[in-house]
């Protein structure tokens, strides 16, 4: 059995508008200058308290707890409004459906997003049935801790040696390698190609239709 674990933000869906807007609002509501967009995008993938602690670290007077609550409230407001926008990347649906249809392959999601956030995305994309296992910031320590991956492997009875993590950040790559799985870095998300390579990604892909090929290369083809 092969297991292919996808990161969510920056890998399956482009949530940067939502994340940058919510973070900006959270900082402004606390009377603080919002971090620059590039800095906000660099922490996407970490669990929220850790991400916000990093952003707030050098801003005096910032309470991480207050900012986390403000971010969550702001994100929920946006999600429930007409401004909600977390589109799948081009080719994501086709690749997920094709891989999920292979009898020897299970799919999962490993993400720093909340369970509620992932559920909303699976509901609006209709892809919920494609994923056998979902592990979120609510279930495990923040990436790059390998717990999320190890837990997903155990939940479906897979094997780390036939598991690949697909992600857009160095946190995904470090998590995958720490769990003993292979790692595919994707360049359409929020970290730079050179950083993914330096973190030790086994393959780096630039388009979604290269993902299935990279998976076959790394852990062998499933039954088709
Ligand atoms: Mg990501």
């Amino acid at each position: 059995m092969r297991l292919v674990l996808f990161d969510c933000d920056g890998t399956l869906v482009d949530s940067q508008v939502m994340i940058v807007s919510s973070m900006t609002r959270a900082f402004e509501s606390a009377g603080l200058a919002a971090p620059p967009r590039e800095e906000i995008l660099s922490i996407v993938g970490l669990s929220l308290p850790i991400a916000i602690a990093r952003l707030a670290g050098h801003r005096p007077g910032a309470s991480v707890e207050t900012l986390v609550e403000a971010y969550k409230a702001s994100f929920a407001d946006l999600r429930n409004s007409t401004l909600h926008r977390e589109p799948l990347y081009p080719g994501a649906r086709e690749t997920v459906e094709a891989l999920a249809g292979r009898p020897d392959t299970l799919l999962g999601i490993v993400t720093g997003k909340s369970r509620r956030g992932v559920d909303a995305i699976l509901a609006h994309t209709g892809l919920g049935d494609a994923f056998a296992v979902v592990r979120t910031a609510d279930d495990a320590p923040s990436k790059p801790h390998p717990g999320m991956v190890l837990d997903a492997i155990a939940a479906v009875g897979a094997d780390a040696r036939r598991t690949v993590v697909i992600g857009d950040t160095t946190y995904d790559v470090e998590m995958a390698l720490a769990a003993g799985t292979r790692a595919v870095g994707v360049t359409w998300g929020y970290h730079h190609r050179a950083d993914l390579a330096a973190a030790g990604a086994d393959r780096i892909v630039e388009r979604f239709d290269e993902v299935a090929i990279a998976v076959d290369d790394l852990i062998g083809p499933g039954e088709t």
Side-chain angles (χ1 to χ4, degrees), residues 30 47 80 87-91 97 111 125-126 158 161 177 186 203 220 224:
S47 295
N80 296 324
L88 286 166
Y89 283 101
E97 287 177 349
T111 178
T125 59
R161 291 166 299 182
L177 300 184
V186 308
R203 290 281 188 289
T224 49

Side-chain angles (χ1 to χ4, degrees), residues 7-11 44-45 168-169 172 190:
D7 166 55
C8 190
D9 295 315
T11 299
V44 177
D168 69 304
T169 68
D172 299 302
Y190 309 140

Side-chain angles (χ1 to χ4, degrees), residues 50-171:
I50 289 175
I52 286 182
R54 262 193 211 190
L55 291 176
H58 45 278
R59 285 171 174 78
S63 151
V64 170
E65 203 174 317
T66 304
L67 289 168
V68 166
E69 289 314 311
Y71 177 92
K72 284 184 183 170
S74 175
F75 200 98
D77 280 352
L78 277 176
R79 188 165 51 219
N80 296 324
S81 79
T82 54
L83 299 173
H84 179 232
R85 191 160 159 69
E86 288 179 286
L88 286 166
Y89 283 101
R93 177 179 303 281
E94 293 77 2
T95 292
V96 165
E97 287 177 349
L99 282 171
R102 289 163 69 152
D104 193 32
T105 304
L106 291 176
L107 304 188
I109 291 178
V110 284
T111 178
K113 244 179 160 47
S114 66
R115 172 71 57 167
R116 190 168 64 152
V118 178
D119 286 348
I121 284 171
L122 292 177
H124 89 71
T125 59
L127 284 177
D129 291 344
F131 297 100
V133 59
V134 175
R135 289 293 179 270
T136 71
D138 298 332
D139 310 311
S142 177
K143 299 174 185 183
H145 190 285
M148 217 180 264
V149 170
L150 295 172
D151 201 26
I153 289 170
V156 299
D159 179 340
R161 291 166 299 182
R162 294 208 77 201
T163 298
V164 183
V165 175
I166 318 289
D168 69 304
T169 68
T170 58
Y171 317 129

Side-chain angles (χ1 to χ4, degrees), residues 177-190:
L177 300 184
T181 75
R182 311 309 290 274
V184 173
V186 308
T187 59
W188 52 81
Y190 309 140

